[in-house]
Amino acid sequence: MTLDSETKAVELPEHHGDELRLWLRLLTCTTLIEGEVRSRLRERFDVTLPRFDLMAQLDKVPEGMTLSDVSKRMMVSNGNVTGLVERLVESGHLDRRTSEVDRRVQVIRLTKAGRAEFRKMAAEHELWIADIFGDLTPKDVRELMRLLAKTKASAQKSARSRGG
Amino acid sequence: MTLDSETKAVELPEHHGDELRLWLRLLTCTTLIEGEVRSRLRERFDVTLPRFDLMAQLDKVPEGMTLSDVSKRMMVSNGNVTGLVERLVESGHLDRRTSEVDRRVQVIRLTKAGRAEFRKMAAEHELWIADIFGDLTPKDVRELMRLLAKTKASAQKSARSRGG
DNA sequence: GCCAATTGCTTGAAACTTAAAGAAATCTGG
DNA sequence: CCAGATTTCTTTAAGTTTCAAGCAATTGGC
């Protein structure tokens, strides 16, 4: 009997429903929060989420970054960044210069106005996020951070093992 | 001294950096996994993620759903669904009928071919997800499920309290 | 120095996405 | 019954996004 059921268990395809449900829940959470942030950004500052995200990347590095850097950090395609940057330069939020060392490279930075506007938005944004996560205890937050770090590492490992 | 620093702590704006970092990590995880799934779907089945997601919704309800139902479940706009459905009907994956009870309503279902194709993709998809989350223990999975449920509830509460 | 490979970015096509406005059908309270 | 409100879906405009192809600049091997 015991042998039988063990044999069976090996032959049957494994159950992966839990992981799938976890993934769907993770996705739901993110979509929900992203939608909320998106609509607040639009209502309050008439800015789109991708623009805000791009400015957030640049705010962290005053001396500027290349388009490739931005692309990697935001995990979006190169062509995507090109278009976003074009519109943000147009609207005066970004400053763009060709590198003198390597003329393929474009270095972008926040303009003074762009930085001021971003800081204003970022301050409120932080409060929104705090409110959205408001029912989590500090312990919940720590625990989630830990588990998501583990998840990220696992996903990266899986992606690497497939890619090369 | 103690009094002083406590007074200061109350007067200073609260620290919400932890929640912000948590949100960024959550977003990173989701983006990472989503990108991985997206590229596997494209490579393996030449299908886009939104199409797969839409078919996944329909697979759960054989008798079909209205466009509004799909829109709510996928948390995307109505117009978005209209376009997606159009292309999937065109490619023979979906069947679309006007409700006889309410002629505003469109009921969509997977066609036989659409269902067969989805099932094939879904089986592999489940393995990918299991692999991506492969380094998490069953306990990690349970704990993440719990914390994400709490997060979702918190986010929904925050969204409701703003919206109405 | 030269040629091939690589890197950084842009372009183009197709698809996806949203918000807002509009059309059609239904519902509701007189 | 009927006018106004609501619901369901489509349309439109603007923007985002990806992928693939391509161009320009740089690097590395010889």
Side-chain angles (χ1 to χ4, degrees), chain B residues 48 50-51 76-77 79-80 84 87 101-104:
Chain B
T48 64
R51 279 159 145 102
V76 299
S77 69
N80 189 349
L84 269 174
R87 287 182 287 271
V101 194
D102 183 339
R103 270 173 300 174
R104 291 168 304 181

Side-chain angles (χ1 to χ4, degrees), chain B residues 63-93:
Chain B
E63 66 274 22
M65 321 170 49
T66 69
L67 297 204
S68 290
D69 287 341
V70 174
S71 164
K72 273 168 209 139
R73 291 209 196 202
M74 293 181 72
M75 295 193 276
V76 299
S77 69
N78 271 347
N80 189 349
V81 173
T82 294
L84 269 174
V85 166
E86 207 159 288
R87 287 182 287 271
L88 280 166
V89 168
E90 172 71 23
S91 63
H93 293 88

Side-chain angles (χ1 to χ4, degrees), chain A residues 30-97:
Chain A
T30 301
T31 305
L32 191 60
I33 297 171
E34 207 173 51
E36 186 61 18
V37 170
R38 183 195 308 281
S39 78
R40 293 198 201 200
L41 280 175
R42 170 173 290 270
E43 280 176 27
R44 187 76 182 75
F45 299 112
D46 193 34
V47 74
T48 64
L49 186 52
R51 279 170 210 226
F52 179 81
D53 286 343
L54 177 38
M55 288 197 272
Q57 292 301 326
L58 290 177
D59 186 57
K60 291 191 280 195
V61 185
E63 66 273 22
M65 322 171 48
T66 70
L67 298 203
S68 291
D69 287 341
V70 174
S71 164
K72 272 169 210 140
R73 290 210 197 199
M74 292 181 72
M75 295 193 275
V76 299
S77 68
N78 270 347
N80 189 350
V81 172
T82 295
L84 269 174
V85 165
E86 207 159 287
R87 288 182 286 270
L88 280 167
V89 167
E90 172 69 25
S91 62
H93 294 87
L94 260 53
D95 172 61
R96 164 205 236 152
R97 291 176 311 153

Side-chain angles (χ1 to χ4, degrees), chain A residues 99-140:
Chain A
S99 161
E100 290 165 10
V101 194
D102 183 339
R103 271 172 300 175
R104 290 168 306 178
V105 174
Q106 303 282 320
V107 177
I108 55 174
R109 286 179 310 184
L110 285 174
T111 59
K112 200 169 170 181
R115 183 173 305 277
E117 191 170 328
F118 173 74
R119 291 281 170 86
K120 214 176 42 170
M121 297 190 291
E124 278 201 40
H125 174 262
E126 192 168 314
L127 297 179
W128 301 339
I129 297 301
D131 185 59
I132 286 168
F133 287 91
D135 284 354
L136 301 192
T137 66
K139 189 185 163 196
D140 288 338

